[in-house]
Amino acid sequence: MQRLVSRRHVVMLSVTVACLIVIVSTVSNWLLLDILGYDNPAVVDLLREFILGGGVTYFLGLKVMEVNLMSRRLEHMATYDYLTGALTRAKFFGLITAQPKAGGAFLVFDMNDFKIINDSLGHAAGDEALVKVATAARQHLGPEDLLCRLGGDEFLAFFFGLDQIHVHDRARAIAMEITAQTVGQGDHSIRLSASFGLSVLNAGDSLDAAIALADADLYRAKSIHHRRQGIATRRSRQSPRLSA
């Protein structure tokens, strides 16, 4: 992550504050002595310090607000995926490793035929599909459960305290929610679908091993989807000849 304030920014801020002090001091002297006609040195010094202090404090306060705002934006970028609102990989795994004694279940899933959506409908439709998939998954997350975007069209969820039977139920519910979504319009619309892999993480288990099991389960599901898609494609090509 980049530094919030560089050395060059500090130098520029120092020069700006110094110039501001000179300007405010000059203007306050001119205002108090020449315009208002105050001739009591103590009153003039007090008012000048009040004006100078207030101006510099206000200016520095604005700068502090800018730095705080930038810090919050960077923190948000480090925590959430910019497109889907899901957690980033680093935040996701950080939250899990912070609770080493908490077991649960992983559910990894990615979209089927995502490339077809991008190629036929454009990348805006692909982005829309990713948002809809993340939104569909969140409908079936508990308040403590986590969802992250691993990259591309692949997502990973973690359900605290869930066993294998119940994570299967969640996977079916999320799959149904995703297949209810479409992108595109009319005859050019495409119905969404996804493939899933799951594994259980018991307290003390290796996180990497659990992820590898979920990935292997996902690859098997993708292979089944591709075989079914290939069979459907061959049948559609043969149907005109059969009807003839």
Side-chain angles (χ1 to χ4, degrees), residues 203-240:
D205 286 353
S206 167
L207 186 64
D208 292 336
I211 296 295
L213 287 174
D215 281 337
D217 200 27
L218 172 64
Y219 295 148
R220 285 192 291 270
K222 295 294 285 189
S223 297
I224 293 173
H225 168 75
H226 290 151
R227 285 199 298 270
R228 289 175 176 172
Q229 189 181 47
I231 292 172
T233 300
R234 287 194 297 271
R235 285 177 177 174
S236 66
R237 289 174 179 173
Q238 292 170 358
S239 57

Side-chain angles (χ1 to χ4, degrees), residues 9-19:
H9 291 150
V10 173
V11 172
M12 291 177 61
L13 179 60
S14 301
V15 172
T16 303
V17 171
C19 293

Side-chain angles (χ1 to χ4, degrees), residues 93-111:
F93 288 111
L95 291 172
I96 295 175
T97 55
Q99 305 180 60
K101 296 183 179 180
F106 285 107
L107 181 66
V108 60
F109 55 98
D110 66 10
M111 296 177 57

Side-chain angles (χ1 to χ4, degrees), residues 6-221:
S6 66
R7 183 177 301 175
R8 183 172 64 88
H9 291 150
V10 173
V11 172
M12 291 177 61
L13 179 60
S14 301
V15 172
T16 303
V17 171
C19 293
L20 180 63
I21 291 174
V22 172
I23 293 172
V24 172
S25 179
T26 302
V27 171
S28 62
N29 281 335
W30 170 73
L31 179 65
L32 294 174
L33 296 177
D34 296 343
I35 303 299
L36 299 180
Y38 284 110
D39 56 2
N40 188 324
V43 173
V44 171
D45 290 341
L46 180 61
L47 291 175
R48 183 170 60 244
E49 294 301 327
F50 177 78
I51 295 173
L52 181 61
V56 173
T57 301
Y58 178 75
F59 175 78
L60 293 178
L62 291 178
K63 291 300 177 182
V64 170
M65 290 174 60
E66 290 179 8
V67 171
N68 287 337
L69 180 60
M70 186 184 300
S71 176
R72 288 195 295 270
R73 287 176 177 173
L74 290 176
E75 183 179 1
H76 188 274
M77 292 170 58
T79 302
Y80 298 103
D81 174 58
Y82 74 97
L83 178 62
T84 64
L87 294 172
T88 60
R89 292 172 59 108
K91 187 65 176 180
F92 178 86
F93 288 111
L95 291 172
I96 295 175
T97 55
Q99 305 180 60
K101 296 183 179 180
F106 285 107
L107 181 66
V108 60
F109 55 98
D110 66 10
M111 296 177 57
N112 295 326
D113 309 316
F114 182 62
K115 187 176 185 299
I116 294 177
I117 295 175
N118 277 332
D119 291 346
S120 60
L121 300 180
H123 290 284
D127 289 347
E128 180 186 355
L130 291 173
V131 172
K132 287 187 173 182
V133 167
T135 302
R138 271 193 290 266
Q139 304 302 315
H140 300 279
L141 295 180
E144 302 298 326
D145 299 332
L146 307 174
L147 175 69
C148 86
R149 182 183 176 193
L150 289 175
D153 62 327
E154 190 171 8
F155 295 84
L156 179 62
F158 184 74
F159 302 91
F160 284 96
L162 217 59
D163 57 24
Q164 189 162 0
I165 294 176
H166 290 93
V167 76
H168 270 290
D169 294 338
R170 294 290 184 94
R172 281 193 290 269
I174 293 173
M176 292 178 63
E177 194 79 37
I178 291 174
T179 54
Q181 310 299 320
T182 60
V183 292
Q185 300 293 329
D187 295 337
H188 301 287
S189 65
I190 297 177
R191 185 165 299 279
L192 305 183
S193 67
S195 296
F196 295 81
L198 60 90
S199 66
V200 174
L201 178 72
N202 296 311
D205 286 353
S206 167
L207 186 64
D208 292 336
I211 296 295
L213 287 174
D215 281 337
D217 200 27
L218 172 64
Y219 295 148
R220 285 192 291 270

